[in-house]
Amino acid sequence: MSTHPDYLAHYRGLLVLVTGAEGFIGSTLVEELLAAGARVRALCHYKPYRERGFLAAYEHDDRVEFIAGDVRDANVVDNAVSGVDIVFHLAALIGIPYSYQAPDSYLQTNVIGTHNVLAACRRHSVRLVHTSTSEVYGTARVVPIPETHPLQPQSPYSASKIAADSIVMSYWHSFGTPVAICRPFNTYGPRQSARAVIPAILRQLHAGQREIRLGSLSPTRDFTFGTDTARGFLAIGASEEALGLALNLGTGNEISIGTLVDKLIRISGHDARVVLDDTRLRPAGSEVERLLADNTEVKRLTGWNPEISLNDGLARTWEWITTAPVHAGAPSYAR
């Protein structure tokens, strides 16, 4: 149980829009909202085969209304926002490596899509919680990283998110649109796509591979379990003090990728060794070497506090990998 459950009670009886709802974090957030007594309107990326991603179990649940569409379509977004009490905007293109190949796609989805959501929230007088990323900080100049840290676009993905964050804040300053920015550090856990480092390693171990192929082992990351991140969204969405602010969501602890893989090998109980793979390295000047959250402000303003330790979270993720070995994985456009 959370030590600060009052922000969960805030959502009882509300109608909440979640964009990117079928993805890893999005679906976890939907389940937390339902547990808190909310009704959810789920905007999912249109697919002709009606795939609901990780929300398939809620296909016939009266508490969940599905809308198929694309945040790049202003009309779809406007219809989705109409009549809701609050919007959690998670829909985005998020794969950093693909952003080197298709930067225009990231601008269209992450920037234009966010503007469509903002304009609809302004039109309908609806509060917005926008999803940022710790990647906007780039390689840390100071640690732990406060929200006042300079923004450094070290990939087309991070540049698109910096632009989106700026547009969000412009609506707060220009129009008084009630907005808050949630800036998660590295979220992990069950349902995460195999493109991410933790499930990628665990899937290799589960498949019995003796060599784990990785790029750089020196970068450090601040890993937050999925349900903790989802609760952070809810805490920020319920806080009047969070309006007009960007708030970090992270544990305040860091681990290097090299140490992480050693830990994952031990958790799996398998024998494996790490093999450096140059094809997995980011372009020179693009690798973010260190991410460590200063979470002081979000704790002070909202009462949120991460509850799942890294060891516990990794064990839960390994259990998910081994007990449900076939997963479609979170789509690249949904968190």
Side-chain angles (χ1 to χ4, degrees), residues 96 133-146 149-150 152 154 157-158 183-187 218-224 248-257 282 286-294:
I96 295 171
T133 170
S134 58
E135 287 286 331
V136 301
Y137 295 126
T139 297
R141 298 185 185 184
V142 295
V143 289
I145 299 172
H149 188 284
Q152 305 178 101
Q154 290 182 217
Y157 164 67
S158 64
R183 194 164 279 160
F185 279 61
N186 293 77
T187 303
S218 61
T220 68
R221 296 293 183 262
D222 184 333
F223 289 101
T224 309
N248 291 337
L249 285 181
T251 66
N253 299 294
E254 65 182 330
I255 185 172
S256 72
I257 301 303
R282 293 187 185 182
S286 183
E287 180 65 82
V288 174
E289 287 295 334
R290 194 175 184 190
L291 288 174
L292 173 62
D294 182 342

Side-chain angles (χ1 to χ4, degrees), residues 227-247:
T227 54
D228 279 334
T229 295
R231 290 278 181 100
F233 274 88
L234 298 183
I236 290 171
S239 171
E240 293 301 312
E241 290 79 9
L243 289 174
L245 299 177
L247 293 173

Side-chain angles (χ1 to χ4, degrees), residues 101-115:
Q101 303 174 39
D104 187 63
S105 298
Y106 284 71
L107 294 176
Q108 291 295 321
T109 298
N110 297 354
V111 182
I112 302 301
T114 295
H115 181 258

